[in-house]
Amino acid sequence: MFVLVNTKTYPCDPVAVAEAARAVEPSTDARLAVAPEPTALAAVAETGIETWAQHVDPIEPGSNTGSILAESVADAGAAGTLLNHSERRQRLDQLDESLTASGRAGLETIVCANTPAQAGAAAALGPDAVAIEPPALIGGDTPVSQADPNIVEDAVDAVGAVDSAVSVLCGAGISTGDDVLAARELGADGVLLASGVAKADDPAGALESLVDPL
Amino acid sequence: MFVLVNTKTYPCDPVAVAEAARAVEPSTDARLAVAPEPTALAAVAETGIETWAQHVDPIEPGSNTGSILAESVADAGAAGTLLNHSERRQRLDQLDESLTASGRAGLETIVCANTPAQAGAAAALGPDAVAIEPPALIGGDTPVSQADPNIVEDAVDAVGAVDSAVSVLCGAGISTGDDVLAARELGADGVLLASGVAKADDPAGALESLVDPL
Amino acid sequence: MFVLVNTKTYPCDPVAVAEAARAVEPSTDARLAVAPEPTALAAVAETGIETWAQHVDPIEPGSNTGSILAESVADAGAAGTLLNHSERRQRLDQLDESLTASGRAGLETIVCANTPAQAGAAAALGPDAVAIEPPALIGGDTPVSQADPNIVEDAVDAVGAVDSAVSVLCGAGISTGDDVLAARELGADGVLLASGVAKADDPAGALESLVDPL
Amino acid sequence: MFVLVNTKTYPCDPVAVAEAARAVEPSTDARLAVAPEPTALAAVAETGIETWAQHVDPIEPGSNTGSILAESVADAGAAGTLLNHSERRQRLDQLDESLTASGRAGLETIVCANTPAQAGAAAALGPDAVAIEPPALIGGDTPVSQADPNIVEDAVDAVGAVDSAVSVLCGAGISTGDDVLAARELGADGVLLASGVAKADDPAGALESLVDPL
């Protein structure tokens, strides 16, 4: 089970979250990673935790100002990148180009999608994984297992019909260990976490209770 | 074979192009249609030619200013709409919503894509057809059959692997009757035409020579 | 006083709203106009009411698909266009280019802005008018005179400091005749109306009561 | 004279450019600064050179993924930020919000603009400076003094008419010391440099010859 903590631009210290994840790692079989803002990538990577970018732009090295370059993100220590997050949607053609850029820089990729149809479309572009983020669950308190469990199973089916090599993650509605378990039972290979860990008073404790049932 | 003439915002009279298409219709088995600007939809539809929109926005009736609404386009006489044209790319989620809006308004849909992978992704969203527009051919003089015939066949394969009910059109590199034939031989169910007809001194003659070999 | 009714993409008949405005015209000194969707421009203009577009794209005649061309809007009968409406924001450089396109096509222009600073910025681009749309008033029931009257006066000052030839309209918070009066007293040369007229059971009656106090 | 070197996403080492600028500093009265990618901000700031961001998003700390936060950029050591660069244009309202975010984080601001009218508009939003980037000069070999010297003077006039407290920089067409001098003589308070220094074999030498005539 892959557990990726997105620290967004929360007023938290991503390095503290990374250290918390590092502390929890020995006690779980889950694969843990942290996705901080671009300015914090290098410092997070230095903690030794697996580090992900939150986004890379559909560009090559060259004349681009104010952009996030796949190569620079990889140089800073990132092993992968989220793409098309609900807070950073991309044009279909540019999402394809961001995937190309990620591949060129050796980054693993997770493309977010908010319906099974979009998950299938994302899978057709050849990412490593697709994260299904049902809009009803984004930022809410409803757990994925209660809201509409079919959406995860439907996403697993839609992705599998297009390319069975693409993993499926659950990208919203996860705030307890039971939610993580439910996501796994619905066919998800991993989960995206955010505020539940990143904004917790005790990120290590929060993360531990999330991965404990696995 | 579906032959759709996109009159873009060319300094031509879309109604004259529509009348030319109407004049050619009796002499061909091809299905002819014209896609004018939104301001010209009603006048083009009045000619009796099958009329298409060039784009509809991912919106519902309501508080939207400066947008193109699927219902309004259908009311003006459109039977279908292009989406995600290389000159009007959409975000993946908004493309999905434009398809939903089109379905709600009873519009047939063609989603443009510029690589086989994007064509497969577009097919996963459930349009009626996907038009492959190889970037190297857009706006150029190279015919699709000479430039890279594989791209059309690869798009046909990519779309077929995702959803065999989705047709494939060739969206660039078509300027002669031989190009139309070549597109059909490569597996395309139709073609998108633009300047070759819309900007011709004699649109009816231009269109006739394009559909003649069919 | 300029009174522009934006019919957005409401599920109303823009031609009926235009005819209502036409019926009210003889009884008021206010200048009345209607801004329908692009597909309805020609039919609205045929009623004889002054017709405006809701948006034009920063383009020239040529290879553009799914765009709204200034020349086409003018050909359909529009005398002017809104730009940068809160539902159709533009990039600064593209707003400048849409103004250039509007000027080329002989369209009068109103640029929307939601703060006095943005109103001043809009004025520096040389439109005919700027419409201040305080975000707190957009789509709400609070009248502009009660919410924050300073914002209209501040917009008038900001625009006047940049270019005293640019008019200022009040673009939100107008639903009664008293609101129209209040806007005029705060220095506005006109108002933008939307649902209060466009969605009224009796658009002519609604419009009449709005312009009555003038 | 303010001399800001934008290292874009060039395949160069921004830290080496920063060290070159640091080495040149003692020999010039010009104020030197380097604007690297977000991933390199902290490392560039550690060299002791004045460090700028290339862009910040119109957001507050919170739920934003794949964005560049003003506070994070400031924490990484940036003293200021470019905004609305020709490679990263912004919507008028979002540019205003990025300026607000920059002010909140204590960042100095330079807003890019490509016409005198846009420069005036940018000045109305209250940045510290506006950089005029004539499109004809961007990425070209033509020096600003030869191409159209009026554009810089016109920008100086347009900005001065709106807010005389806003400085004007010349953002394109600078590749020699004579260009820097010419920009100063046309009324510019500074220049933006990019490839001429960032991609030079000897960045320190390149920078030295640029600031030497000052």
Side-chain angles (χ1 to χ4, degrees):
Chain A
M1 201 75 173
F2 185 33
V3 175
L4 178 58
V5 181
N6 175 4
T7 60
K8 302 194 174 186
T9 59
Y10 290 135
C12 69
D13 177 4
V15 172
V17 174
E19 283 165 354
R22 200 82 170 102
V24 173
E25 261 186 338
S27 65
T28 178
D29 287 339
R31 170 184 168 197
L32 302 184
V34 173
E37 299 163 82
T39 43
L41 277 168
V44 164
E46 267 167 36
T47 66
I49 193 74
E50 182 177 325
T51 304
W52 278 56
Q54 296 176 3
H55 170 76
V56 301
D57 283 303
I59 56 170
E60 298 186 7
S63 288
N64 308 287
T65 296
S67 294
I68 302 176
L69 179 69
E71 279 82 354
S72 299
V73 147
D75 286 350
T81 186
L82 291 172
L83 289 172
N84 198 46
H85 189 276
S86 59
E87 293 156 6
R88 190 68 151 100
R89 294 297 193 204
Q90 289 192 275
R91 286 179 12 185
L92 173 58
D93 59 326
Q94 294 184 337
L95 173 55
D96 192 24
E97 289 162 24
S98 284
L99 282 161
T100 301
S102 300
R104 202 182 57 221
L107 297 170
E108 200 173 328
T109 49
I110 297 173
V111 176
C112 299
N114 62 10
T115 63
Q118 289 168 35
L125 301 175
D128 295 293
V130 170
I132 181 81
E133 296 178 291
L137 303 188
I138 294 176
D141 291 332
T142 314
V144 66
S145 58
Q146 283 171 31
D148 181 2
N150 291 340
I151 201 170
V152 176
E153 292 175 314
D154 290 350
V156 169
D157 289 349
V159 168
V162 170
D163 184 349
S164 58
V166 175
S167 304
V168 177
L169 283 76
C170 188
I174 307 288
S175 46
T176 68
D178 282 350
D179 298 339
V180 178
L181 267 191
R184 186 169 68 181
E185 276 155 27
L186 293 165
D189 303 302
V191 294
L192 301 191
L193 303 175
S195 59
V197 172
K199 296 171 82 173
D201 288 333
D202 172 16
L207 192 51
E208 202 155 322
S209 73
L210 276 154
V211 299
D212 185 58
L214 294 177
Chain B
M1 201 74 172
F2 186 31
V3 175
L4 177 58
V5 180
N6 176 3
T7 60
K8 302 195 175 185
T9 60
Y10 290 135
C12 69
D13 177 4
V15 172
V17 174
E19 283 164 355
R22 199 80 170 104
V24 173
E25 261 186 338
S27 65
T28 178
D29 288 339
R31 170 184 169 198
L32 303 185
V34 173
E37 298 164 83
T39 45
L41 277 168
V44 164
E46 267 167 36
T47 67
I49 194 73
E50 183 177 326
T51 304
W52 279 56
Q54 295 175 4
H55 169 76
V56 300
D57 283 302
I59 57 171
E60 298 186 5
S63 288
N64 307 287
T65 295
S67 293
I68 302 175
L69 179 69
E71 279 82 354
S72 299
V73 146
D75 286 350
T81 187
L82 291 173
L83 289 172
N84 198 45
H85 188 277
S86 59
E87 292 155 8
R88 192 67 152 98
R89 293 297 192 205
Q90 291 191 274
R91 285 179 12 185
L92 172 59
D93 59 327
Q94 294 185 334
L95 174 56
D96 192 24
E97 289 163 23
S98 283
L99 283 162
T100 300
S102 300
R104 201 182 57 221
L107 297 170
E108 200 173 328
T109 49
I110 299 173
V111 176
C112 300
N114 63 11
T115 63
Q118 289 169 36
L125 300 175
D128 294 294
V130 170
I132 180 83
E133 297 179 291
L137 303 187
I138 294 176
D141 291 332
T142 314
V144 65
S145 58
Q146 284 172 31
D148 180 3
N150 291 341
I151 200 170
V152 176
E153 293 176 312
D154 290 351
V156 169
D157 289 349
V159 168
V162 169
D163 183 348
S164 59
V166 175
S167 304
V168 177
L169 283 75
C170 188
I174 307 288
S175 47
T176 68
D178 283 350
D179 297 338
V180 178
L181 266 191
R184 187 169 67 182
E185 277 155 26
L186 293 166
D189 303 302
V191 294
L192 301 189
L193 303 174
S195 60
V197 172
K199 298 171 82 171
D201 288 333
D202 173 15
L207 192 51
E208 204 155 321
S209 73
L210 276 153
V211 299
D212 186 57
L214 293 177
Chain C
M1 201 74 173
F2 186 33
V3 175
L4 178 58
V5 181
N6 176 4
T7 61
K8 303 193 174 185
T9 60
Y10 290 135
C12 69
D13 177 3
V15 172
V17 174
E19 283 165 354
R22 199 81 170 102
V24 173
E25 260 187 339
S27 65
T28 178
D29 287 338
R31 171 184 168 199
L32 303 184
V34 173
E37 299 164 83
T39 44
L41 277 169
V44 164
E46 267 167 36
T47 66
I49 194 72
E50 184 177 326
T51 303
W52 278 57
Q54 296 176 3
H55 170 75
V56 300
D57 282 304
I59 56 170
E60 299 186 5
S63 287
N64 307 288
T65 295
S67 294
I68 302 176
L69 179 68
E71 279 81 354
S72 299
V73 146
D75 285 351
T81 187
L82 291 173
L83 289 172
N84 198 46
H85 189 277
S86 59
E87 292 156 7
R88 191 67 152 98
R89 294 297 193 204
Q90 290 191 273
R91 285 179 11 185
L92 172 59
D93 59 326
Q94 294 184 335
L95 173 55
D96 192 24
E97 288 161 25
S98 284
L99 282 161
T100 301
S102 301
R104 201 182 57 219
L107 297 170
E108 201 173 327
T109 49
I110 298 174
V111 176
C112 300
N114 62 10
T115 63
Q118 289 169 37
L125 300 175
D128 293 294
V130 170
I132 181 82
E133 297 180 291
L137 304 188
I138 295 176
D141 291 332
T142 314
V144 66
S145 58
Q146 283 171 31
D148 180 4
N150 292 340
I151 201 171
V152 176
E153 292 176 314
D154 290 351
V156 170
D157 290 349
V159 168
V162 168
D163 184 348
S164 58
V166 175
S167 303
V168 177
L169 282 77
C170 189
I174 307 289
S175 47
T176 69
D178 283 350
D179 297 340
V180 178
L181 267 191
R184 187 170 68 181
E185 277 155 26
L186 294 167
D189 303 302
V191 294
L192 301 191
L193 304 174
S195 59
V197 172
K199 297 171 83 173
D201 288 334
D202 173 15
L207 193 50
E208 203 155 321
S209 72
L210 276 154
V211 300
D212 186 57
L214 292 178
Chain D
M1 203 74 173
F2 185 33
V3 175
L4 177 59
V5 181
N6 176 4
T7 60
K8 302 194 176 187
T9 59
Y10 289 135
C12 69
D13 177 3
V15 172
V17 174
E19 283 165 353
R22 200 81 170 102
V24 174
E25 261 187 337
S27 65
T28 177
D29 287 338
R31 170 184 168 198
L32 303 185
V34 173
E37 299 163 83
T39 43
L41 277 169
V44 164
E46 268 167 35
T47 67
I49 194 73
E50 182 177 326
T51 303
W52 278 56
Q54 296 176 3
H55 170 75
V56 300
D57 282 303
I59 56 169
E60 298 186 6
S63 287
N64 308 287
T65 296
S67 295
I68 302 175
L69 179 69
E71 279 82 356
S72 298
V73 147
D75 285 351
T81 186
L82 291 172
L83 289 172
N84 198 44
H85 189 277
S86 59
E87 291 155 8
R88 190 68 150 97
R89 293 299 192 202
Q90 289 191 275
R91 285 179 13 184
L92 173 59
D93 59 326
Q94 294 185 335
L95 174 55
D96 192 24
E97 289 162 24
S98 283
L99 282 162
T100 300
S102 300
R104 202 182 57 222
L107 296 171
E108 199 173 332
T109 50
I110 297 173
V111 175
C112 300
N114 63 11
T115 63
Q118 289 169 36
L125 300 175
D128 293 293
V130 170
I132 181 83
E133 295 179 292
L137 304 188
I138 294 176
D141 291 333
T142 314
V144 67
S145 58
Q146 283 172 31
D148 180 2
N150 291 340
I151 201 170
V152 176
E153 293 176 312
D154 290 351
V156 169
D157 290 348
V159 168
V162 169
D163 184 348
S164 59
V166 175
S167 304
V168 177
L169 282 76
C170 188
I174 307 289
S175 47
T176 68
D178 283 349
D179 297 338
V180 178
L181 266 190
R184 186 169 69 180
E185 276 155 27
L186 293 166
D189 303 302
V191 294
L192 301 191
L193 304 174
S195 59
V197 171
K199 296 171 82 173
D201 288 334
D202 172 15
L207 192 51
E208 202 156 324
S209 73
L210 276 154
V211 299
D212 185 56
L214 293 178

